[in-house]
Amino acid sequence: MHKLEGDDITPQSVYKYLSELYGGNWNGESMVIDNEKINCKATYFNYPNDIIVGLVKLKCTERLTYESTGTDKEDYITIRIGYQAVFDEKNNQKAAVNNGIFIYDVNFLYENHLHPNIWYEWFAVKCPIDFLKTWFIEDSDYEDFKNRVINSYIYYPSIPEIDTIIRELSFFNEKDRFKKTIFLSKLFEILGRLFTVLKEQRPNQFQDIKLHPEDYKTMLNVREYILEDFSQKPRLEEIAKHFHLSVSKLRRDFSTVYQTTVMKFFDQHRLQEAYQQIKYSDKSITAISIDLGFVSVAHLGTAFKKEYQMTPNQLRSKDSTQNE
């Protein structure tokens, strides 16, 4: 296992280290490594006003751990949107688990654990928080957001429209001539969609809530634990015992950070996992429903239509038509 350390303001130093460790070709903006130990493609661009935008796709055969170290910057944040995926021997996507959106202070200390033989992909922007003020209609909404995220983090489930933009960006990542311009244009599109959707979904989302930093870290780990296996419903008693918490503290801290219950969180992400597998894999809908622990295909269909206003078959048929 290799442990990497770095801060969110200078991610290039981490990729320089990866390049030296695994024999890459980091040139200050991009890198490709493809060998028996790691497959990695990374691009990071610096823009005016201290804005950094990057896209990374990575799979390794050994575990990597990244630990943030914090910076001397104040009022800077990171927006990190990503997913991890499992593929079969024919490179067909089997699952796309743990996808989501993190918004956090660059001085929020955390660890990322990258497991062997899983594809990870993430889009990230690091910027002064005032750069985001443009996307808030009301100044009070922006101040609420700023108070909420500084010295902490906000997490949201993935947004399908944004996932699609990032997948498109992976394609444009190959176009060297226009890459830097396209990254910036896609950033503006992503931010516009992100803050519009979040405001519509959760009008009271930016409450000023604070936890002890160690409690935040624990809730990050609880999230990972819950999303490791969709085939079985999580049990609060088991989770609390695993993390040495009381059930009441687990409920309280989880609701504080994720603004929902453990069970609702699990159900929402399980549906999103179904959406990803239906859209991007060739698994049958029956197999997906079984693998994800739904009682029946009908159970999946009812929950899916309530969430996405279409049935699983309609999503797959729509996707097939668009790809013709």
Side-chain angles (χ1 to χ4, degrees):
M1 180 187 78
H2 288 287
K3 186 173 183 178
L4 313 175
E5 293 183 347
D7 64 69
D8 275 36
I9 295 298
T10 56
Q12 295 92 335
S13 62
V14 176
Y15 294 103
K16 181 176 183 294
Y17 175 75
L18 272 179
S19 183
E20 294 170 350
L21 182 65
Y22 291 110
N25 58 352
W26 176 251
N27 64 9
E29 288 189 340
S30 63
M31 173 181 70
V32 176
I33 309 175
D34 188 3
N35 56 43
E36 68 279 359
K37 290 186 177 180
I38 188 171
N39 189 312
C40 179
K41 185 177 293 184
T43 301
Y44 270 91
F45 291 120
N46 290 283
Y47 296 96
N49 302 314
D50 286 340
I51 298 167
I52 304 172
V53 180
L55 182 70
V56 180
K57 188 172 184 179
L58 180 150
K59 181 180 75 168
C60 50
T61 58
E62 54 190 355
R63 181 171 174 173
L64 291 177
T65 296
Y66 172 76
E67 182 176 342
S68 69
T69 57
T71 77
D72 59 357
K73 297 280 190 179
E74 294 184 359
D75 293 350
Y76 275 66
I77 68 166
T78 293
I79 300 175
R80 188 174 184 272
I81 306 169
Y83 76 94
Q84 61 192 62
V86 180
F87 292 81
D88 63 20
E89 63 277 2
K90 296 181 180 179
N91 206 35
N92 296 314
Q93 185 170 311
K94 295 174 64 178
V97 298
N98 269 340
N99 52 334
I101 302 167
F102 282 93
I103 307 173
Y104 55 90
D105 189 322
V106 296
N107 290 307
F108 176 75
L109 303 181
Y110 65 94
E111 286 186 354
N112 274 346
H113 302 285
L114 307 183
H115 300 283
N117 302 315
I118 294 178
W119 276 107
Y120 295 86
E121 183 167 6
W122 62 88
F123 172 88
V125 54
K126 301 92 167 46
C127 63
I129 193 169
D130 286 346
F131 170 68
L132 302 177
K133 192 172 183 179
T134 303
W135 282 272
F136 291 86
I137 296 175
E138 302 292 338
D139 288 345
S140 59
D141 289 338
Y142 167 72
E143 291 301 325
D144 289 344
F145 169 76
K146 183 175 181 177
N147 290 334
R148 170 67 178 87
V149 75
I150 293 299
N151 298 318
S152 62
Y153 80 91
I154 305 173
Y155 169 81
Y156 299 98
S158 66
I159 298 170
E161 295 86 349
I162 292 178
D163 289 343
T164 299
I165 295 171
I166 294 174
R167 288 177 183 272
E168 292 173 352
L169 193 57
S170 296
F171 169 77
F172 286 116
N173 197 19
E174 305 297 329
K175 308 295 185 180
D176 291 338
R177 182 181 175 187
F178 304 107
K179 198 158 53 171
K180 190 167 185 177
T181 301
I182 291 170
F183 266 56
L184 187 60
S185 67
K186 292 297 182 182
L187 167 64
F188 278 74
E189 185 177 357
I190 287 169
L191 291 178
R193 289 182 178 273
L194 173 61
F195 286 103
T196 297
V197 170
L198 296 187
K199 187 63 179 176
E200 290 173 350
Q201 289 181 344
R202 299 183 181 180
N204 300 316
Q205 62 187 294
F206 301 135
Q207 307 169 56
D208 185 15
I209 57 172
K210 302 294 179 185
L211 287 179
H212 188 279
E214 290 302 317
D215 290 332
Y216 270 114
K217 284 187 178 181
T218 298
M219 289 303 104
L220 274 173
N221 292 331
V222 168
R223 170 188 170 272
E224 298 291 328
Y225 185 85
I226 291 170
L227 300 182
E228 279 181 355
D229 182 6
F230 287 107
S231 65
Q232 296 184 359
K233 288 266 191 179
R235 297 183 67 248
L236 293 182
E237 294 79 7
E238 289 182 359
I239 299 170
K241 182 178 180 180
H242 183 83
F243 289 98
H244 307 290
L245 302 171
S246 67
V247 171
S248 61
K249 181 171 176 58
L250 169 63
R251 283 192 177 119
R252 183 173 60 252
D253 287 359
F254 193 91
S255 177
T256 296
V257 173
Y258 299 109
Q259 300 172 44
T260 189
T261 67
V262 169
M263 293 305 172
K264 288 181 179 178
F265 183 90
F266 174 84
D267 286 340
Q268 184 176 14
H269 282 74
R270 184 169 62 161
L271 275 176
Q272 290 177 342
E273 175 66 15
Y275 184 101
Q276 294 288 333
Q277 292 195 30
I278 292 166
K279 185 173 179 65
Y280 297 112
S281 82
D282 59 0
K283 291 171 62 177
S284 72
I285 293 173
T286 299
I288 292 170
S289 68
I290 293 172
D291 290 346
L292 298 182
F294 287 94
V295 175
S296 64
V297 176
H299 176 212
L300 167 61
T302 300
F304 194 92
K305 187 169 185 179
K306 183 177 179 181
E307 179 71 17
Y308 297 110
Q309 291 75 54
M310 68 177 79
T311 67
N313 282 318
Q314 285 171 334
L315 173 62
R316 179 154 282 179
S317 297
K318 177 184 177 183
D319 191 54
S320 298
T321 301
Q322 290 176 343
N323 290 331
E324 287 180 355

